[in-house]
Amino acid sequence: MDIIKDLFGQKEKAPALTKDAFEKLPRHVGIIMDGNGRWAKQHKLGVALGHRQGVESLREIIRHTDDLGIGSLSIYAFSTENWNRSPEEVGALMQLILEFFASEIDELDEKNVRILILGEKDVFPPRQRETLIRAEERTADNTGLILNICLNYGSRAELTRAARLIAEDVAAGRLNADEVTEKTISDRLYTAGQPDVDLMIRTSGEMRLSNFLLWQCAYAEFLFPTVLWPDFTVADYDEALLAYGGRERRFGGRLK
Ligand code: IPE
Ligand code: IPE
Ligand code: MG
């Protein structure tokens, strides 16, 4: 096993930090889990194995987020633009969705994690759609970590949907146009009721949002570690959380 780890170039596992190690923790973390393709290429493996290894990172990161008592974690798993990839790659990702929920749902439910799927579920094949609906329903009353899994997610699609919902309310006389506020919009996003993203992490060194939580990231702190997602460890996560703690957030004001 250690040999395999060495081959895959994984770092020595540093012990995870506990809550007390942090001066300040974000209430909501967003993660763009990027770099699976490059990781697979580096290891001369097919891209599906890169995604599979990425799920291993995800498991640990979810667990640690829960241990630290962070309220919300949003993970970008599949974008509205990712349908443009080859049928083979999309198929491998669809298969991974089924496997992820089959292996994780019991533990997540047991840990009181509430799963929300951010994105339109109707476009998924029936088995995936049912799996996603079942995971949301099963964990709907859980009161611990909110795990926002962004699947077929695009921020523009989410905002367009919110605009449509508002238009419907206005047309039906449930809402006056002059009563539309920022809250009217945020209440109609998939993340309704959750705090904005405090910390956004994108692995693999790419420095863009790629249509991820545009509204919710309005005042987020950004970190772009160069490590590829399948190599991202709890120690890297702790490093990002510590860096977040050192950031000075002004929200347009002036600190005294
Ligand atoms: C991110 O890894 C995972 C998904 C988009 C599903 P990529 O597959 O985008 O990895 P790179 O960017 O090609 O390395
Ligand atoms: C964003 O990564 C989507 C996910 C991580 C799921 P991409 O790899 O698809 O984004 P671009 O194409 O590099 O912007
Ligand atoms: Mg990518």
Side-chain angles (χ1 to χ4, degrees), residues 9 16 39 55 146 154 168 195:
W39 185 92
V55 174
I146 301 179
E168 283 168 8

Side-chain angles (χ1 to χ4, degrees), residues 34-35 38 85 202:
D34 201 12
R38 276 160 284 171
R85 297 193 179 188
R202 182 173 187 151

